Amino acid sequence: MHDPLAAPGIPPRSVMVDVTLGVVVAAAAVVEYPRTPVTIAVGVLVAVAVACRRIAPSIMMPLALISAALQVGFLQVAVIPSLAYALLFFVAGGSAHQAVRRISLAVAIAGSAVAAWTLIHRSVSEFGNDPGVLDFAAAYAGSAIVVVGGWTYGFTRYQRRTVEEARVAETIAELERRRLLELYDEQAERSRLARDMHDVVAHSLAVVIAQAEGARFALASSPDDAAAALGVIAGTAREALGEVRGVLQELRSGDTAAQATAHDRTRLFERMRAAGMTLATEQLGDPANADAAVAATVHRILTEALTNALKHGDLSEPVIVVDDWRDGAALTVRNAVPAEPHRAIGAGHGILGMTERAATVGGTVRSAAAGDHWVLELSVPTPKGPRP
């Protein structure tokens, strides 16, 4: 059963680290001197709390309180297990639940005072010292360094993570907004060009059909009229051809589709770098010779892959991008995965969409974890036969 206080997506590696730390704490409690049943019990309780601190905070916190109560009640301090409280309060301070953070801070502050009182009374019972205010202050400061210090470090990590998630979400929203605007502009331009093409073709064909029908009937009775109709057909066809070429030239805008995609690629990298991503890119071959549909597909999949890396990746390491145009098209995007991934943002249809997009040009997409990294590989083979 999932603990409602546990953070989502805890990697197995982190759980193994916690279990190992728990074993170390238990072993230290057994060999610690003086060794009493109380110190051993405290060590076992703290060890279990450390082992389950991230996967089951609801169990961790009662175990920590019980172990502290045993030390206070019997005036016996298990030093090494008590130092492990820093790990427990680190988790509590970094909890996503505000109530857990506030209550644990109050416990840390009050617990430091109780721990200082326990240490003073233990010193009195063992050594007969007469403690003063400075002794109590020193004991309180030492206890606070462990518990309040652990809580503060966890809370600082939580704040940084929250700010990072907010920044990433804002950047992704801005990228999505820009992409929607670009798609809107592109669709509007396509609609305009489609209307222009329709006007040219529909008008020209209507004239050609009408003149051809007239020429067919006038050919036997009035050859001159038939010849004039054929002249109109030829002139209309030449004008239509010129207008169609003009529309196509406007569509190309002086660049090939691959060249236009190269410009988009540069702008995409600039946006990602501005969002805080470090890119290590390598290009093999010349994309200018690629098929227009393939070039556009590679660019769209690259955009989606970098957006996923921005959402879910570890931006402290470079994102590696390699595109190879020497034999068909191949794209590799490799990014590090954080030990504690950000909460997922979005519906999770990105990989399916990339797979479907690649299939339209005869390509395949493979996206999977590889150790501490996530690797996306796109492969589009060279099309067989002449291009249409």
Side-chain angles (χ1 to χ4, degrees):
M1 181 180 295
H2 178 70
D3 193 315
L5 299 182
I10 300 174
R13 181 178 60 182
S14 298
V15 178
M16 291 302 299
V17 170
D18 291 344
V19 172
T20 303
L21 289 175
V23 172
V24 171
V25 172
V30 172
V31 301
E32 184 178 7
Y33 181 83
R35 183 171 63 253
T36 66
V38 173
T39 59
I40 293 176
V42 169
V44 172
L45 291 173
V46 175
V48 175
V50 169
C52 66
R53 65 192 181 110
R54 278 188 274 203
I55 60 174
S58 298
I59 298 176
M60 174 200 76
M61 290 183 283
L63 292 178
L65 292 176
I66 293 172
S67 65
L70 286 175
Q71 296 182 80
V72 175
F74 290 93
L75 292 179
Q76 296 183 23
V77 179
V79 177
I80 296 179
S82 295
L83 293 177
Y85 285 143
L87 298 174
L88 308 183
F89 278 92
F90 168 79
V91 174
S95 173
H97 300 270
Q98 187 181 59
V100 173
R101 296 195 304 271
R102 291 182 173 179
I103 294 174
S104 60
L105 176 59
V107 171
I109 295 173
S112 298
V114 174
W117 179 87
T118 304
L119 291 172
I120 293 296
H121 281 71
R122 178 193 177 199
S123 176
V124 171
S125 62
E126 291 186 2
F127 306 107
N129 296 335
D130 185 14
V133 177
L134 292 179
D135 295 323
F136 181 83
Y140 182 85
S143 302
I145 288 175
V146 175
V147 292
V148 179
W151 185 94
T152 302
Y153 184 58
F155 180 71
T156 302
R157 287 283 302 272
Y158 166 76
Q159 290 288 73
R160 290 177 179 175
R161 186 169 63 250
T162 302
V163 171
E164 177 68 13
E165 289 177 354
R167 188 188 66 80
V168 170
E170 182 180 356
T171 301
I172 291 172
E174 177 63 18
L175 290 174
E176 292 291 341
R177 187 185 69 83
R178 292 183 182 179
R179 185 169 66 174
L180 289 175
L181 289 176
E182 291 174 357
L183 290 175
Y184 176 80
D185 293 340
E186 180 181 348
Q187 186 60 40
E189 182 67 11
R190 286 182 176 179
S191 298
R192 187 184 66 81
L193 292 173
R195 289 194 299 269
D196 293 345
M197 187 70 74
H198 174 269
D199 292 343
V200 171
V201 174
H203 171 73
S204 302
L205 286 181
V207 173
V208 167
I209 291 173
Q211 293 295 327
E213 290 290 344
R216 183 167 63 88
F217 288 110
L219 184 60
S221 60
S222 180
D224 293 337
D225 292 340
L230 292 175
V232 172
I233 291 174
T236 303
R238 280 193 297 269
E239 292 178 2
L241 180 60
E243 292 180 6
V244 168
R245 285 175 176 171
V247 173
L248 294 178
Q249 183 64 29
E250 183 179 358
L251 179 63
R252 295 188 182 96
S253 299
D255 289 337
T256 65
Q259 289 171 336
T261 301
H263 299 329
D264 294 339
R265 182 175 181 269
T266 300
R267 291 196 298 269
L268 172 64
F269 287 166
E270 291 175 351
R271 289 199 299 266
M272 288 299 173
R273 289 191 175 102
M277 178 182 291
T278 302
L279 289 168
T281 63
E282 181 181 5
Q283 181 174 292
L284 304 174
D286 188 1
N289 299 325
D291 180 80
V294 173
T297 298
V298 171
H299 176 70
R300 292 298 185 188
I301 292 178
L302 173 61
T303 301
E304 184 69 26
L306 291 181
T307 301
N308 287 341
L310 182 65
K311 290 180 180 178
H312 311 296
D314 183 1
L315 298 184
S316 65
E317 295 188 24
V319 177
I320 300 173
V321 177
V322 180
D323 51 338
D324 190 347
W325 303 90
R326 295 174 296 184
D327 183 13
L331 172 68
T332 300
V333 179
R334 183 183 185 92
N335 66 273
V337 178
E340 297 182 6
H342 302 309
R343 291 190 293 272
I345 302 173
H349 301 308
I351 295 177
L352 177 61
M354 288 187 285
T355 302
E356 294 175 347
R357 190 183 295 276
T360 61
V361 292
T364 57
V365 167
R366 178 184 175 274
S367 184
D372 294 335
H373 289 75
W374 190 271
V375 180
L376 178 138
E377 296 177 338
L378 164 67
S379 177
V380 182
T382 304
K384 298 180 180 180
R387 293 180 182 175

